[in-house]
Amino acid sequence: MSDDLPQLDETAFAPLDATRLFPASRSTHPPRLLLLTGSLRERSYSRLLAQEAARVLARFGAETRFFDPAGLPLPDGDDASHPKVAELRDLVTWCEGMVWCSPERHGAMSAVMKAQIDWIPLSLGGVRPTQGKTLAVMQVCGGSQSFNTVNQLRILGRWMRLLTIPNQSSVPKAFNEFDEAGRMIASPFFDRMVDVMEELVRFTWLTRDIREALVDRYSERKESHAELSARVNQRRI
C-alpha cells in the first residue's frame, strides 16, 4: 500500500513519540479527584453515594474535594466572576480527574448536574481545563435501574474531552441502599461502586502525566499552524 498522502499537511503531521507516552519521571503525589453531585436535597442520595465513593478513593490514596452546587447561578444567569462559578472552575483546574454523580429525573440527569457541567468552559485562559483528565460517572434511581443518566454523562464527558473510564455505577431504589446515618449498606451495588473508584484511580495514575500527549490532535496542530502563518504574513504585509 502506498503511503503517498498529498492531502496531508506535513507541517502539522507528527509521528508518534513514545517518549511522550512513557516519560522517564512520573508524578508521585496523590491523585487529585473532584466529585460533583446533582441534587440539593437535604438527604441527597447522589451526594451520599459520592461521599461513600470519596471514602473509597481515600483508601486508594487519592485526595478528594467536593463542590457544593448550592448557590450556583443558572448558566448565563450571571458571569464567570460569580464566586460559585469561580470556585467550581478553580476546582476543575486543580483536579486530575472527576466523579460525576447525578440522580435520574424524568429519564435524564438533573438540572443541578447539567448546570455545573455547563459552567465548566472548554477553554480557560488558553488552557482546556478538562482535556485529558479522567472521569467516572454514576447515577442513583428512585425506581428500577436505569442507565439513561450515565449514558448522557458519558456524552458530555466526551464533549469535554475527558477520558471517561469504561466502568460505571447505577444504583436503583437508592432509598433502600443507605442506612439512617447515610452510609451505604453492603450490597452488589456497593461493590460495583468500589470497582468504579478503583478503576478511576488506576486510570488517573496511568494518564495524568501524559494527558496532553494522549489528546494531541493533527487537525488542531494544522489549524494552529494556519493561524500562525496568517498572523506572520499579515505582519509582513
Side-chain angles (χ1 to χ4, degrees):
M1 181 181 294
S2 172
D3 62 354
D4 182 32
L5 294 168
Q7 66 274 49
L8 194 70
D9 185 340
E10 296 293 345
T11 61
F13 182 78
L16 295 180
D17 182 0
T19 60
R20 295 186 68 196
L21 299 175
F22 302 97
S25 61
R26 304 297 293 262
S27 299
T28 59
H29 63 270
R32 300 192 295 260
L33 300 172
L34 171 64
L35 295 95
L36 303 182
T37 60
S39 173
L40 299 177
R41 289 178 176 175
E42 182 177 353
R43 185 173 172 85
S44 162
Y45 292 109
S46 64
R47 185 171 62 250
L48 293 178
L49 178 59
Q51 289 172 343
E52 207 69 57
R55 296 182 184 100
V56 174
L57 290 170
R59 289 291 296 271
F60 282 124
E63 180 182 357
T64 61
R65 294 184 187 178
F66 279 83
F67 173 72
D68 180 2
L72 182 71
L74 289 173
D76 302 325
D78 211 311
D79 57 41
S81 65
H82 189 283
K84 292 299 292 188
V85 176
E87 178 190 355
L88 173 61
R89 293 185 174 187
D90 285 346
L91 286 170
V92 172
T93 300
W94 164 83
C95 75
E96 297 166 329
M98 287 190 278
V99 178
W100 292 352
C101 185
S102 175
E104 181 161 310
R105 291 185 178 173
H106 303 300
M109 76 184 74
S110 69
V112 173
M113 190 79 242
K114 186 61 163 59
Q116 292 172 85
I117 297 170
D118 284 347
W119 272 117
I120 302 171
L122 291 175
S123 181
L124 186 61
V127 176
R128 293 188 175 96
T130 56
Q131 178 166 286
K133 296 182 179 182
T134 54
L135 172 66
V137 295
M138 303 194 298
Q139 73 171 83
V140 294
C141 312
S144 59
Q145 191 172 43
S146 166
F147 299 96
N148 292 331
T149 294
V150 287
N151 288 338
Q152 292 170 343
L153 292 173
R154 284 186 176 280
I155 292 172
L156 287 171
R158 183 174 72 243
W159 191 259
M160 303 296 288
R161 297 186 173 188
L162 289 154
L163 304 177
T164 309
I165 67 171
N167 215 338
Q168 61 188 24
S169 170
S170 175
V171 180
K173 297 182 179 179
F175 53 86
N176 287 332
E177 300 302 321
F178 295 86
D179 62 21
E180 292 183 2
R183 298 301 305 271
M184 195 172 188
I185 63 175
S187 73
F189 299 115
F190 174 84
D191 296 345
R192 182 61 172 263
M193 179 272 292
V194 175
D195 289 346
V196 175
M197 295 306 106
E198 182 178 29
E199 191 171 282
L200 176 63
V201 174
R202 285 178 180 154
F203 271 76
T204 306
W205 273 108
L206 287 170
T207 62
R208 65 180 180 177
D209 290 316
I210 60 172
R211 64 188 184 91
E212 294 301 331
L214 289 174
V215 292
D216 186 21
R217 301 181 181 184
Y218 161 77
S219 62
E220 292 181 349
R221 293 195 301 271
K222 180 180 176 181
E223 182 180 1
S224 297
H225 183 267
E227 292 173 352
L228 176 61
S229 297
R231 286 198 301 272
V232 170
N233 291 332
Q234 186 179 28
R235 288 170 185 165
R236 288 176 179 173
I237 294 171

